[in-house]
Each structure stands twice: as structure tokens, then as C-alpha cells.
Amino acid sequence: MEASTVEVVRPIKPPGRIHGECPIRHVSCSIRHMHDFTILVAPGAFASAVAVTVDLLSAAAAIAPRLKMSPPTWKLRALAPGPVQLSNGLSIAAPPLARSRGPDRSIWVVPGLSTHTTTAVDHRLAQADVIAALPLLRYHVNKGGTVAASCSGVFLLQEAGLLVDRKVTTSW
């Protein structure tokens, strides 16, 4: 079972968004009028990592009205065209990730990549869909966006050069 720890990389210059005080201690909540999260779905990603991310956001959306907060919104984006094959034979349909024409202030989340060895990580990071996603991740962060990853998804952030001089923790 994959841990639910999510590591967040914040841009050096924070975006000019309105941040409110969250009623839950130690949690910063953003009030936005667009998708709060973009879940990047890579071929072979842990199905559980994708599902847990969606389930957590769904639960947050369900309790937000009781807390008098705006519910989070999210969208799925695939790193490869067509239905994305996840681990254990599951698949999910999602539009492909593309460079945003306008500002995208959503937090991009990279679920675990379903790799079990360092050799498998190296092989996965050399595949075309990951290579194509690297400049998009860098562009998102350079334009003030925030990225996060769970489990072995942190290796994709590292490969994009987004973890330089940062400490991260992974359950991998």
C-alpha cells in the first residue's frame, strides 16, 4: 500500500493569489475560481496513487461547505494520449497535458510512478512521455505554479530539476 504523503515544491516567487486562514490548524487554504489541482496521470502510475488523490480531493469537496470554504476542484491530465494504462491492468481516460496558454494556478500533483527498483526508475524517467513532461513542469513552476508528488513521483520532479537545494521525503 502506498503512503499518502505528498511533498510540495513552491515557486521561489509565490503567485499573487488570495490565501485565507484555514480552520484546520497547519493547513493553508487558497480561494480560487478555477481548478485547484491538476493530477498528472502517467502510464504505469500506481492506480492506488491516482485513486487516493482523487478520493482525498473528493472528500475535501464534500466537507468544504460545512467549513464555509470553497470546495477544491481538480482535473486529470495524461502524460500520453489516449486512455492511460495504470498499474495492475486498470486504465483511466484523461485529456493530454499541454502547455497552458494562460496562467494556470492549479497545483500539479504527480502520483507514484509504479517503479520498484532504481533501474526501473531510471528506465521510466528515460521514456518519451516523461521527457515531454519535464519542460511543462519547469514552465509551470517558472510561471509561479506549484507542484507536488507522492511516492516515486518525486523522482519526476527531481528529473525536472525542481528539487535543487530542497529536502523531500518519499515513501519509496
Side-chain angles (χ1 to χ4, degrees):
M1 187 167 155
E2 185 172 320
S4 59
T5 300
V6 176
E7 296 300 327
V8 176
V9 177
R10 299 220 180 263
I12 293 172
K13 292 182 180 177
R17 304 302 294 167
I18 300 170
H19 293 280
E21 187 65 34
C22 183
I24 303 170
R25 286 185 59 168
H26 308 296
V27 176
S28 173
C29 300
S30 299
I31 301 170
R32 302 171 192 255
H33 299 288
M34 61 181 78
H35 289 291
D36 291 308
F37 297 90
T38 300
I39 304 165
L40 307 183
V41 185
F46 282 118
S48 61
V50 175
V52 163
T53 304
V54 172
D55 285 347
L56 287 171
L57 291 170
S58 181
I63 65 170
R66 286 184 276 167
L67 298 174
K68 295 184 172 66
M69 296 176 62
S70 297
T73 60
W74 60 92
K75 57 188 173 187
L76 297 170
R77 290 296 179 260
L79 297 188
V84 181
Q85 294 299 314
L86 303 174
S87 66
N88 300 313
L90 298 174
S91 65
I92 192 166
L97 176 66
R99 185 175 294 212
S100 174
R101 293 180 187 187
D104 179 359
R105 299 293 183 209
S106 68
I107 297 170
W108 287 15
V109 180
V110 181
L113 298 175
S114 189
T115 53
H116 303 284
T117 66
T118 56
T119 302
V121 170
D122 291 340
H123 176 72
R124 187 66 187 96
L125 295 176
Q127 292 178 343
D129 62 315
V130 169
I131 291 170
L134 298 177
L136 297 174
L137 285 160
R138 287 190 290 267
Y139 178 81
H140 181 67
V141 170
N142 289 336
K143 292 296 181 184
T146 300
V147 297
S150 62
C151 194
S152 56
V154 297
F155 296 121
L156 192 116
L157 300 183
Q158 188 278 331
E159 189 71 12
L162 301 176
L163 301 181
V164 175
D165 296 327
R166 297 180 187 271
K167 292 181 182 184
V168 299
T169 303
T170 183
S171 57
W172 184 81

